[in-house]
Amino acid sequence: MAFSTTLSTSYILQSNLFCAQKSNQLSLRKSILPPQIGNKIVYQPLKHNKVFSPNRCVGKINASLKWEKGYKNVEVFSKEHLAVSLAYDVAQLSNKFTKERGAFTVALSGGSLIKYLRKLVESPYAETIDWSNWHVFWVDERVVPKDHLESNYKLASDGFLSKVPIPPLNVYSIDDALSPEGAADVYETNLRRLVTRNVIATSTNGLPKFDLMLLGMGPDGHVASLFPGHPLLNENNKWVAFLNDSPKQPLERITFTFPVINSSSNVAMVVTGAGKSSAIYAALEDEKKTDLLPVEKVSPEGELKWYLDKGAASKLFKE
């Protein structure tokens, strides 16, 4: 499955439905939009199970006539339909890589991302995905015990992993008995071992190439545990780094670095909430800044797809 959906130039106007996705090759300008658009809503139907499914994209947003920059692989949903679309796309990728490689490597973030995987544990996906071939990693982790409320492992285990039959040996959590530096070193050693065994694919520059990396974003534009202004933004040698000075609690964390993030075959950027709309606008629209937000450094070898709810996208589509 391609990780993007082709945008046609044909639009159907609906009063309360919206989905936006554009390619860089197509600049949607005022002259080619229907004259009725005004404050109405543009709806682009997406293929779902080989038929058009208007229920994948919903949410009332005022459509903007300013399309000059262009958005690549951006979709806007209600929160419920975001979870449905994400489940569909993840399931398709799982089937694709399982057939091609006999393994599907997925790297998870923490935060609200996990709750948007909830549809994967329901029918039809739970019964059709070959969970035995999943290998699960963490993009970043807080160096706390696994049963700690701040643990990304606990969050993923409670909300997702405990509900699907992924073999325990295929779930690669950090060693919470180690110091941040020790945990990062051991995690990188494990990645290198799995790359050697071809469980994780290898990118053109010899880095681990995850089949799918699921990322969230903070209101400040941080991804993983890579924060604005932090020296780790420029780390190019380590695959896994540690920090003990996180601007958010808990202070001690480990994180994939940008070379690893950007070696991925697919990156899904899942961002919801109006509190993140300014960072989304800066990442996708604002060209006047001199300092890049961490999220703007996400530029994978493969495909990047944005899953936004109408709150997160509100400043993009405001006239």
Side-chain angles (χ1 to χ4, degrees):
M1 167 193 171
F3 200 53
S4 60
T5 304
T6 303
L7 175 69
S8 72
T9 56
S10 173
Y11 288 85
I12 301 173
L13 294 181
Q14 303 284 342
S15 61
N16 62 350
L17 298 176
F18 179 81
C19 179
Q21 183 176 17
K22 298 173 54 200
S23 68
N24 283 343
Q25 290 75 26
L26 180 62
S27 178
L28 301 181
R29 299 180 183 275
K30 186 173 182 178
S31 60
I32 69 170
L33 292 174
Q36 306 99 316
I37 188 168
N39 289 325
K40 299 223 174 175
I41 309 304
V42 175
Y43 169 64
Q44 172 63 27
L46 300 178
K47 287 186 178 180
H48 182 58
N49 287 336
K50 299 183 179 180
V51 298
F52 286 112
S53 176
N55 292 328
R56 288 189 70 197
C57 298
V58 297
K60 187 172 183 179
I61 304 175
N62 287 335
S64 173
L65 298 183
K66 182 182 178 183
W67 296 88
E68 281 77 3
K69 176 178 177 180
Y71 303 127
K72 181 181 179 182
N73 297 343
V74 178
E75 295 186 9
V76 181
F77 306 89
S78 71
K79 286 182 170 59
E80 182 66 15
H81 288 78
L82 190 158
V84 172
S85 182
L86 185 62
Y88 176 81
D89 289 342
V90 172
Q92 295 298 304
L93 288 171
S94 173
N95 293 336
K96 173 182 182 293
F97 285 103
T98 295
K99 290 177 182 177
E100 292 178 356
R101 300 182 51 247
F104 182 48
T105 55
V106 183
L108 303 175
S109 296
S112 61
L113 169 72
I114 298 301
K115 70 180 181 181
Y116 290 107
L117 297 177
R118 63 185 181 275
K119 293 296 181 181
L120 278 174
V121 306
E122 301 176 4
S123 183
Y125 310 111
E127 298 86 5
T128 58
I129 289 175
D130 186 353
W131 298 105
S132 66
N133 286 313
W134 275 51
H135 295 261
V136 178
F137 304 81
W138 274 262
V139 180
D140 69 320
E141 178 59 289
R142 292 85 178 268
V143 184
V144 295
K146 287 184 174 62
D147 59 356
H148 193 284
L149 290 177
E150 296 285 350
S151 167
N152 285 342
Y153 171 84
K154 175 177 172 56
L155 182 65
S157 179
D158 292 348
F160 175 55
L161 297 176
S162 62
K163 304 176 188 300
V164 292
I166 299 173
L169 290 177
N170 291 3
V171 177
Y172 305 90
S173 59
I174 72 160
D175 188 337
D176 55 355
L178 299 176
S179 66
E181 183 176 11
D185 287 345
V186 168
Y187 212 66
E188 180 167 329
T189 297
N190 286 335
L191 294 187
R192 291 183 181 275
R193 175 176 56 84
L194 293 167
V195 166
T196 300
R197 291 171 48 197
N198 203 34
V199 173
I200 304 174
T202 308
S203 71
T204 54
N205 52 9
L207 292 166
K209 189 178 185 71
F210 288 92
D211 300 327
L212 174 62
M213 195 164 290
L214 291 154
L215 296 178
M217 186 198 76
D220 60 354
H222 83 266
V223 293
S225 284
L226 299 165
F227 295 92
H230 197 280
L232 286 183
L233 294 179
N234 300 313
E235 174 59 58
N236 292 316
N237 296 316
K238 294 180 179 179
W239 292 5
V240 184
F242 75 94
L243 61 163
N244 50 27
D245 57 351
S246 168
K248 293 181 59 179
Q249 292 289 341
L251 301 179
E252 297 182 334
R253 300 167 180 238
I254 73 166
T255 182
F256 286 173
T257 57
F258 275 119
V260 172
I261 291 172
N262 288 333
S263 294
S264 303
S265 291
N266 296 279
V267 172
M269 185 69 67
V270 182
V271 186
T272 61
K276 301 177 182 179
S277 60
S278 293
I280 288 294
Y281 179 85
L284 295 177
E285 183 86 352
D286 188 357
E287 296 177 339
K288 298 179 181 179
K289 304 184 314 306
T290 56
D291 294 326
L292 295 180
L293 296 175
V295 68
E296 295 177 83
K297 294 173 70 70
V298 177
S299 181
E301 285 184 9
E303 296 191 56
L304 169 64
K305 184 170 179 178
W306 295 78
Y307 298 78
L308 309 178
D309 75 346
K310 56 185 179 180
S314 58
K315 291 191 177 180
L316 294 177
F317 299 98
K318 184 176 180 181
E319 293 184 306

